[in-house]
């Protein structure tokens, strides 16, 4: 490789590394302290990068918040896909969704588990903010995943599928809220058991 080619690649690698450090720092601080309470200086200090690095990667704090929300969504999808790989059939697929939420609760958070990071952020954003749309789409996607698994169990019964998917979605979100308030995943374990019982009675 030529000396020129090596030099040309280094800045890109530095920018990529800085972006990942900033996103990781934002994820920790936004989750632990809240979006509004976390300033740019706090994030750059925790990431160990210059403030200019933030503006080289994100146009403003709002842009960083959007990247954080997208990353949380992708993180959850990764947990779900891992669980789905171990699941069997429609019933197993539904429970994989619950298990992915429990895995999320089991992370070693700096100040303990505080519930769904996406909903926590959405609660701080004003009505009409596009970040709230990101969170809404995430929740809709989760309900659609539940519905997709339920279709395997209830073929040709689309109305029942949607009703049960909504029911399970509410169960999941309620358990997540209570688990966040209590700082533990116990409510999610209970919700999974309730979901399993409901599925067995379909």
């Amino acid at each position: 490789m030529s000396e020129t080619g090596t030099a040309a690649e280094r800045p890109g690698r530095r920018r990529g590394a800085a972006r990942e450090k900033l996103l990781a720092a934002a994820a920790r601080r936004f989750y632990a302290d809240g979006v509004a309470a976390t300033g740019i200086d706090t994030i750059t200090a925790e990431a160990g990068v210059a403030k200019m690095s933030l503006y080289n990667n994100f146009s403003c704090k709002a842009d960083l918040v959007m990247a954080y929300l997208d990353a949380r969504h992708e993180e959850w999808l990764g947990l779900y896909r891992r669980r789905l790989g171990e699941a069997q059939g429609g019933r197993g697929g539904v429970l994989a969704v619950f298990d992915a939420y429990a895995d999320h609760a089991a992370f070693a958070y700096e100040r303990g588990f505080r519930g769904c990071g996406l909903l926590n952020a959405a609660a701080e954003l004003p009505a009409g903010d596009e970040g709230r749309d990101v969170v809404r789409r995430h929740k809709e996607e989760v309900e659609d995943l539940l519905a997709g698994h339920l279709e395997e169990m209830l073929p040709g019964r689309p109305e029942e599928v949607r009703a049960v998917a909504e029911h399970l979605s509410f169960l999941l979100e309620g358990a997540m809220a209570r688990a966040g308030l209590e700082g533990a995943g116990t409510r999610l374990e209970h919700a999974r058991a309730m979901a399993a019982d409901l599925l067995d009675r379909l």
Side-chain angles (χ1 to χ4, degrees):
M1 184 180 291
S2 73
E3 192 172 332
T4 304
T6 303
E9 285 183 8
R10 283 180 186 149
R13 281 207 297 268
R14 281 199 299 271
R15 281 196 297 274
R19 180 183 174 86
E20 291 308 310
K21 287 180 181 178
L22 286 161
L23 271 173
R28 289 190 297 271
R29 295 276 55 85
F30 288 161
Y31 190 80
D33 305 326
V35 172
T38 303
I40 293 299
D41 290 342
T42 299
I43 292 168
T44 54
E46 175 142 341
V49 301
K51 188 182 289 189
M52 187 54 67
S53 291
L54 188 141
Y55 294 111
N56 284 339
N57 287 280
F58 305 98
S59 60
C60 57
K61 181 181 173 181
D63 189 23
L64 176 59
V65 171
M66 289 295 290
Y68 162 69
L69 295 175
D70 287 338
R72 292 296 298 217
H73 173 67
E74 290 302 322
E75 177 182 69
W76 184 84
L77 283 177
L79 294 173
Y80 161 71
R81 288 174 184 137
R82 208 167 304 131
R83 285 292 190 165
L84 188 61
E86 305 164 358
Q88 293 185 352
R91 182 182 186 278
V94 168
L95 296 179
V97 174
F98 281 78
D99 288 334
Y101 270 71
D103 290 342
H104 176 269
F107 286 170
Y109 296 105
E110 180 181 320
R111 296 185 183 169
F113 179 60
R114 296 182 59 242
C116 175
L118 288 167
L119 276 184
N120 292 349
E124 294 191 63
L125 299 174
D129 189 284
E130 63 178 322
R132 292 175 64 87
D133 291 335
V134 170
V135 177
R136 176 180 52 77
R137 287 194 298 270
H138 167 77
K139 298 302 180 182
E140 289 171 350
E141 183 170 345
V142 171
E143 189 169 324
D144 286 344
L145 291 170
L146 290 168
H149 296 306
L150 287 165
E151 283 173 0
E152 292 184 52
M153 302 180 68
L154 303 169
R157 295 153 69 183
E159 290 184 7
E160 189 174 355
V161 163
R162 292 315 309 186
V164 176
E166 185 178 47
H167 181 109
L168 291 171
S169 176
F170 289 169
L171 173 63
L172 186 56
E173 292 302 328
M176 196 67 163
R178 289 291 295 275
L181 288 170
E182 295 166 11
T186 307
R187 296 288 181 176
L188 290 162
E189 295 169 14
H190 294 173
R192 186 192 191 278
M194 292 176 194
D197 182 61
L198 185 152
L199 295 171
D200 290 341
R201 289 187 281 111
L202 289 177

